[in-house]
Amino acid sequence: MNDAILAVDAGSSSVKFGVFALPAARDGELARLVHGQIEGIGVAPRFSAVGAGGETLAQDDVADVATQFDHQAALSHTLDWLVQHLSGQRLAAVGHRIVHGGSLFAEPVRVTPRVLSQLEALVSLAPLHQPHGIAGIRALAERLPDVPQIACFDTAFHRTQPAVAQLFGLPRELSGDGIRRYGFHGLSYQYIASQLPKYLGTDSDGRVIVAHLGNGASLCALRGRRSVASTMGFTALDGLLMGTRCGGLDPGVVLYLIEEKHMTTVQVAELLYERSGLLGVSGLSSDLRVLLASDKPAAAQAIDLFVYRIVRELGSLAAALGGLDALVFTAGIGENSAHIRQRVCEQLGWLGLKLDRAANEVHGPRIGTADSPVSAWVIATNEEQVIARGALDELLRARASPPSGH
Ligand code: AMP
């Protein structure tokens, strides 16, 4: 039997997974044996799995049980499939993506009943995501009671930011209560940071902005491959326009909605998290592909606003870095939409960025011209690799210093 680590990323309507073989290679990377997802949970669930060489191993509708098919059922289905298809592997740990680690967690942590209640206390800070991560932990702990469950946090990577980048202009005692900027998408940024030397060489330790543009979207400014600033703050609402989230908003709008529109806090939360962003502005869809294919003026305006917010926030992060050496695009939109990358890059000429249009059309990886003072790249993210690696590191830490009393 060989040891392996299962990485789980439970989102609002999907569960993504990857199984990684131990031990790690010399560069610290873990070889991925299989990865896949169940998407369409609650609507039309569909399971797919891909092998190490990119071959399709499964692609099945699981729609006949759609009504009861929740996250727990999705994880059970995945585990049953893995037991059948990975008979030579023994799971040494399961790593989970957990969106919010608050002030408490700066590193992956083994889940205990105490940790679980601490994660539950953070649900209101990430209502769209945190409950699914917790549900994933519960489901797998029930099925695999002897396998360590390890939480890996999207906020942890940003703990290196200088104090001033984490502060709101609120009374000091509120910062002490944990009301401050945390930043998210940290597992993705950590992966990109680990890949930068391969692409940028010595520039990788310079001033880099990574644009994680997916259904959720944010930017992160890196120096020395560490986070120094990001567009997301206390919750995953701040910053860029997203699929269904509003991004940066005058807090006075929230007061107005409550006082003048008589909305409850639940209604405001639902508006800002689920009915805003590309969906709210276009009135059509949260999916950029649908908007790009549409001839509705409102769809075009939603895309204009998406690009405008990216360009403005890029300027802000470039100012925080004191200039820019490289820009990296990643995630669903960043990796796949030449159109969005072109529009963003063409508005960054003032920073010295020169786009190589032909390279951009084929998704790079290098999409700036050879003489561009600011280099530009497309690098695919791999959050599951970071989750698996984080789970392994936590296992090794625990083995090196077992808790007292054991
Ligand atoms: P993610 O959350 O990283 O899975 O990204 C989801 C987003 O990526 C959705 O808005 C998709 O419309 C977008 N996306 C995926 N592929 C493409 C593509 N080829 N062109 C434009 N957008 C895309």
Side-chain angles (χ1 to χ4, degrees), residues 16 214-216 286-289 292 331-333 336-337:
K16 295 182 186 155
N215 193 37
S286 62
D287 189 321
L288 183 73
R289 285 166 294 196
L292 287 168
I333 295 171
N336 296 302
S337 179

Side-chain angles (χ1 to χ4, degrees), residues 16 37 185 212-217 242-243 245 278 285-292 306 330-340 363 381 383:
K16 295 182 186 155
Q37 62 176 336
H185 292 136
H212 177 108
L213 307 178
N215 193 37
M242 294 171 238
R245 283 170 261 164
L278 291 173
S285 174
S286 62
D287 189 321
L288 183 73
R289 285 166 294 196
V290 175
L291 303 187
L292 287 168
F306 181 66
T330 194
I333 295 171
E335 291 167 30
N336 296 302
S337 179
H339 175 88
I340 295 295
H363 310 301
T381 194
E383 287 150 304

Side-chain angles (χ1 to χ4, degrees), residues 105 109-121 134 137-138 141 145 149:
F105 301 110
V109 63
R110 181 161 177 176
V111 179
T112 60
R114 180 157 179 265
V115 168
L116 204 52
S117 60
Q118 288 167 326
L119 299 183
E120 273 163 349
I134 293 172
I137 292 175
R138 285 195 187 286
Q149 308 289 322

Side-chain angles (χ1 to χ4, degrees), residues 103-161:
S103 316
L104 289 171
F105 301 110
E107 288 189 331
V109 63
R110 181 161 177 176
V111 179
T112 60
R114 180 157 179 265
V115 168
L116 204 52
S117 60
Q118 288 167 326
L119 299 183
E120 273 163 349
L122 295 166
V123 163
S124 63
L125 303 190
L128 210 60
H129 301 98
Q130 195 85 342
H132 302 301
I134 293 172
I137 292 175
R138 285 195 187 286
L140 284 172
E142 204 171 287
R143 280 287 304 266
L144 304 167
D146 299 326
V147 177
Q149 308 289 322
I150 294 164
C152 303
F153 299 96
D154 261 320
T155 43
F157 183 70
H158 299 292
R159 299 303 301 276
T160 52
Q161 289 181 4

